[in-house]
Amino acid sequence: MVRAELPEHATWEPIAPGVLRRRLPGLELNVAVVTGRDGILLVDTGSHEREAAELLSSLARELPTHDLPDRVVAVVNTHGHFDHCFGNAHVLDAFPDAQVWGHAGLPAYLAERADEGRAAGIGYGFDADLMNAARIVPPRHVVGTGEPVTLDLGGRDVVLYAPGRGHTDHDLVVHVPDCGVLIAGDIVEESGPPQFGSDAYAAEWSDSLGRVRELGAHVWLPGHGAVVDEEFVARQTRWLADVAAGRVVPD
Ligand SMILES: [Zn+2]
């Protein structure tokens, strides 16, 4: 059951120097920030605009206590499922100059399937009025599959990488090379098994995840659930390969 309020423990938790995550109630969704001298990169924006508003006020409240900036200079959407990007509009209202990044396939996905996302959110127990009111803002800056883009946050490079099809046809991950962090979106899952929706590519997922593993990260933030290590991801890659080969049938 989705809870209406955030629990008190839902704070920004450092997972590496200047990289923090916040775990949202209900779906155990992880949002993350990567901080640089110029401001922060926000990875995913929550399920609706009120959730994004709460995220931003928590940033303003908590990041200065870590001596970190709270100004959003860029947003990355890991993919188009509602819980990862339906808060975009509110973030842009607050930070109109922020660049919104996503996979090159994300704008078309949102154009075709946003209503499906609203219905999914309502199905998971999110407030129907909030889901229906969420304005859909696609990324204006895009990353092609196999064509990494490096963002400079001021003294810190962050790499956006689209490894190929898996959880969706437009998965995008965020690599922070200076501390070995990989923000994976839903191509890695901890709070439950990987989700094969009608828009997933079971036969290709393990190969795409294998390409992400080649980046050599050692701290992985899944789209939902706890921070995991490379050994966990290696195990999940093998399970996905078993699914692709028909040796395992996911629920
Ligand atoms: Zn997803």
Side-chain angles (χ1 to χ4, degrees):
M1 177 57 76
V2 174
R3 295 164 59 169
E5 297 89 23
L6 285 168
E8 284 186 3
H9 66 266
T11 54
W12 289 96
E13 172 198 353
I15 60 173
V19 182
L20 300 92
R21 68 97 178 236
R22 186 178 176 92
R23 196 168 174 169
L24 301 185
L27 299 176
E28 300 283 318
L29 177 79
N30 286 312
V31 291
V33 296
V34 184
T35 62
R37 224 176 22 243
D38 297 341
I40 67 177
L41 167 70
L42 174 66
V43 184
D44 288 338
T45 59
S47 297
H48 51 67
E49 294 188 44
R50 186 182 292 175
E51 192 163 75
E54 194 284 330
L55 272 178
L56 293 187
S57 54
S58 70
L59 278 174
R61 195 170 57 239
E62 296 178 38
L63 264 66
T65 69
H66 296 275
D67 279 332
L68 294 170
D70 60 359
R71 188 169 73 92
V72 177
V73 294
V75 172
V76 171
N77 295 136
T78 57
H79 61 295
H81 291 161
F82 73 94
D83 44 332
H84 299 263
C85 63
F86 278 24
N88 281 6
H90 182 85
V91 178
L92 272 184
D93 283 350
F95 298 99
D97 296 331
Q99 295 183 347
V100 180
W101 287 83
H103 187 281
L106 178 55
Y109 180 90
L110 287 171
E112 288 165 21
R113 300 186 74 150
D115 285 343
E116 206 177 301
R118 296 182 202 283
I122 294 165
Y124 276 110
F126 288 91
D127 182 272
D129 290 341
L130 292 173
M131 292 309 306
N132 289 327
R135 294 164 291 163
I136 304 303
V137 175
R140 292 182 60 188
H141 303 267
V142 298
V143 180
T145 297
E147 299 170 355
V149 169
T150 300
L151 303 183
D152 178 3
L153 300 178
R156 171 168 251 178
D157 284 348
V158 174
V159 181
L160 314 184
Y161 177 51
R165 302 194 294 191
H167 179 65
T168 66
D169 65 358
H170 57 274
D171 298 318
L172 183 62
V173 304
V174 178
H175 182 216
V176 192
D178 65 25
C179 58
V181 167
L182 197 290
I183 302 165
D186 288 356
I187 69 165
V188 176
E189 293 281 21
E190 192 280 331
S191 60
Q195 292 296 300
F196 295 90
S198 61
D199 51 357
Y201 290 81
E204 298 170 51
W205 194 332
S206 61
D207 288 346
S208 297
L209 185 50
R211 285 189 281 278
V212 179
R213 289 177 59 211
E214 288 170 9
L215 299 174
H218 54 86
V219 177
W220 290 69
L221 183 67
H224 302 260
V227 176
V228 297
D229 60 14
E230 157 64 16
E231 193 184 332
F232 177 98
V233 178
R235 238 181 359 256
Q236 194 152 88
T237 308
R238 286 195 296 274
W239 184 82
L240 288 163
D242 284 344
V243 171
R247 293 187 290 269
V248 169
V249 179
D251 293 337

